[in-house]
Amino acid sequence: MRPRAGGPNPDLALHPGALAPALAAGSLGALASAAAKLSLGGGGILGAVNREEAEWLYILLRVGCGGMVFLLNALMWTFFAKALRYSSSARASVTTVASNFLSSAFLGKFLFAEVQELLWWIGITMTLCGLLLLHTVKEMRDQSDAYKKEE
C-alpha cells in the first residue's frame, strides 16, 4: 500500500512500514556516534588494544570506525527517509529521536561505561510519554469518530 500523492498517509502511522524504519534510524544514528567516538580516540573498547605491541591494529580499528561513521550515517538517513514516506514528519522525527536517545544510553553504558544521571532518565521518560501520546492520538480519534457514527 502506497501513501496518497498529497502527503503522508495518516492511516499508516502505526504501521511497521513507518515505525520500524524510524526506530532503526535512531539506532543507526547512535551507532554512528559511537563509531565516531571510537574513531577519534574516545577510549572504550579500543582501550583493550595494547598500542605498544599492536600499533597497526589500533590504527586499523580507528580508521575502520571512521569508515563506519559514513556507512551508518548513510543507512540512518535512508531509514529516516523511509519513515517519513510512510508517516508524518512529527511522528517520524520524535520516534527517531527517542530511539536515538535510548540507543545512545545503552551504547554509552556498554562501550564506554557511562552512567546516566537521574535528570536524564526523567527527560527520556517524558519523551517516551509524549511519543506514546503522539502515536495513540489518531487511534483515539478514530474510536471517537466510530462511536459518533454508531449514535
Side-chain angles (χ1 to χ4, degrees), residues 91-145:
R91 281 190 174 101
S93 297
V94 172
T95 304
T96 300
V97 167
S99 172
N100 185 278
F101 281 1
L102 289 173
S103 299
S104 295
F106 289 117
L107 287 172
K109 175 72 174 163
F110 295 121
L111 294 179
F112 306 107
E114 294 175 352
V115 178
Q116 305 301 335
E117 299 292 327
L118 177 64
L119 188 59
W120 186 92
W121 287 106
I122 292 170
I124 195 64
T125 302
M126 293 174 71
T127 301
L128 292 175
C129 288
L131 182 63
L132 181 65
L133 285 173
L134 186 65
H135 280 283
T136 58
V137 71
K138 165 104 176 73
E139 191 176 295
M140 291 172 29
R141 186 176 33 205
D142 289 347
Q143 288 174 355
S144 174
D145 289 346

Side-chain angles (χ1 to χ4, degrees), residues 2 7-8 30 38 43 55 66 70 100 104 108 110 139 147:
R2 298 259 182 207
L38 289 170
E55 181 71 25
F70 293 105
N100 185 278
S104 295
F110 295 121
E139 191 176 295
Y147 179 73

Side-chain angles (χ1 to χ4, degrees), residues 36-58:
K37 189 171 182 177
L38 289 170
S39 175
L40 297 173
I45 59 174
L46 288 184
V49 176
N50 187 349
R51 289 183 68 177
E52 288 82 30
E53 293 178 12
E55 181 71 25
W56 62 272
L57 178 61
Y58 184 77

